[in-house]
Amino acid sequence: MISKKALLIAALCLLLSSCAQKQAEPDKAEQTPPAAGQTVPANNLSGGEAGGTPTDKEESPPQTGEPGKPNVGKAEEMEPPALLYHIDKAYNVKPNEDATEKKVVLLTFDDGPKEKEMIEGLIDTLDKHQAKAIFFVNGYRVKENPDLLTLIHERGQIIGNHSWDHIDLKKESAASARKQVEDVQNIVEETIGERPRFFRPPFGSGNDRLHKIVEENGMIYMTWSNGSLDWDSKNKNKPGAVIQNVLDQLHAGSNILMHELPWTVEALDELLTKLEAKGYGFVDPRSIGDKPAASQ
């Protein structure tokens, strides 16, 4: 009798010990990490919602471009437009073929880069009207504000060469004039990775020697054919006067000279709206090339 009771108690203890061991042992299937390259089922992803929905990280598409930078300006990396226009002897924009739109204007801004707020104001308006412009820069200003040159370039606008010091190059020696031109070519390339394709002499002052230097550097030489006179003291803080000056000289192919000035920033939206209302388009500077040989 005693022996049977002892056996029964021993069996009961053994059973309780086995149950306790199973309860304490972790589930190996849940704890074992996936092997390299093994796909984890969606319902096992941490941070997902109930029902096995993947996390936001898993749903995000692959990113392009440089890490940490937004994917902007990719359209500007596409092939540039075809060369449809050239600059004539009067510095107007002329179509290479009769079928190309003649009623266009070229927008340009000289003497920068100066201030971020003004540059962004100009480019915001250009973007609103789907327009591009040439920003003719001075070398000494680029040296002071390389970030502003980068800003203009990254926002899809075009950089032009306006000499290093904004001096009258017609009065300079050949060596001095060449340095004024080529130093800008070099600093722009060092800053944005491209050399300007357009050159405008300060004050519109040049000579055959300067033309030759510009040509040797692979640039198109131009002054302007429509002056906004925004630089004139009598038009200071008068955006309406700037607009009227352009409209008074308006013609097909107008090469419009403006500057990075507060009243020009203020005038630009209304000016472009009025030009559009008159049926004018804005030529993309990248579509301007050398004069075709057949028409030279």
Side-chain angles (χ1 to χ4, degrees):
M1 184 72 175
I2 296 174
S3 177
K4 288 183 178 181
K5 286 184 178 181
L7 288 174
L8 182 60
I9 292 170
L12 182 60
C13 290
L14 182 62
L15 179 62
L16 291 173
S17 174
S18 176
C19 291
Q21 184 178 357
K22 284 188 177 181
Q23 186 172 3
E25 184 177 357
D27 188 340
K28 293 181 180 179
E30 292 181 1
Q31 295 296 322
T32 303
Q38 180 180 343
T39 302
V40 182
N43 58 1
N44 282 347
L45 292 173
S46 60
E49 296 178 359
T53 303
T55 61
D56 289 341
K57 182 177 180 180
E58 292 295 324
E59 291 180 336
S60 300
Q63 297 295 310
T64 59
E66 294 183 45
K69 290 188 178 182
N71 296 325
V72 295
K74 289 298 178 184
E76 304 306 329
E77 295 178 6
M78 298 172 64
E79 290 187 15
L83 298 178
L84 304 175
Y85 297 91
H86 63 273
I87 302 296
D88 70 9
K89 292 182 179 180
Y91 303 114
N92 292 301
V93 179
K94 291 292 184 181
N96 295 338
E97 299 178 0
D98 290 339
T100 302
E101 179 60 56
K102 298 177 177 63
K103 202 170 182 181
V104 295
V105 300
L106 174 63
L107 306 172
T108 69
F109 301 94
D110 285 13
D111 299 354
K114 295 179 183 176
E115 297 180 15
K116 182 178 180 181
E117 185 177 357
M118 286 195 289
I119 291 171
E120 288 184 332
L122 291 173
I123 298 179
D124 285 347
T125 299
L126 292 171
D127 286 350
K128 176 181 176 181
H129 293 267
Q130 297 183 325
K132 293 190 179 297
I134 304 174
F135 285 74
F136 284 101
V137 300
N138 297 121
Y140 79 94
R141 290 193 187 276
V142 173
K143 185 177 180 179
E144 294 171 354
N145 304 292
D147 56 317
L148 298 184
L149 187 79
T150 301
L151 170 64
I152 296 169
H153 174 67
E154 288 186 343
R155 292 199 59 179
Q157 299 300 321
I158 288 75
I159 304 297
N161 184 327
H162 198 41
S163 84
W164 188 274
D165 288 312
H166 203 282
I167 57 178
D168 189 344
L169 298 179
K170 187 168 66 175
K171 299 178 180 179
E172 297 297 304
S173 67
S176 175
R178 182 176 294 278
K179 183 172 176 58
Q180 285 284 321
V181 171
E182 294 182 351
D183 282 359
V184 174
Q185 292 295 90
N186 293 334
I187 195 171
V188 170
E189 183 176 30
E190 291 166 5
T191 306
I192 64 171
E194 296 179 10
R195 297 172 77 83
R197 291 181 55 241
F198 302 100
F199 178 83
R200 173 176 283 161
F203 318 109
S205 179
N207 51 26
D208 291 342
R209 182 175 60 204
L210 181 60
H211 275 266
K212 186 173 185 297
I213 293 170
V214 170
E215 182 178 342
E216 289 172 353
N217 278 273
M219 287 185 288
I220 296 170
Y221 185 107
M222 70 173 75
T223 59
W224 58 90
S225 63
N226 184 324
S228 69
L229 298 178
D230 57 354
W231 55 269
D232 195 320
S233 59
K234 69 182 180 182
N235 295 317
K236 183 177 181 180
N237 297 320
K238 296 179 180 178
V242 172
I243 294 168
Q244 194 58 50
N245 287 334
V246 172
L247 296 180
D248 287 347
Q249 304 167 66
L250 185 61
H251 59 277
S254 287
N255 184 343
I256 303 174
L257 167 65
M258 294 175 281
H259 294 79
E260 188 184 316
L261 295 166
W263 46 95
T264 303
V265 177
E266 186 177 348
L268 190 61
D269 186 29
E270 183 178 348
L271 172 61
L272 301 192
T273 299
K274 288 181 179 293
L275 292 175
E276 289 170 325
K278 292 178 178 291
Y280 283 86
F282 310 116
V283 67
D284 187 331
R286 299 174 301 170
S287 69
I288 299 173
D290 294 325
K291 188 175 182 180
S295 59
Q296 287 183 2

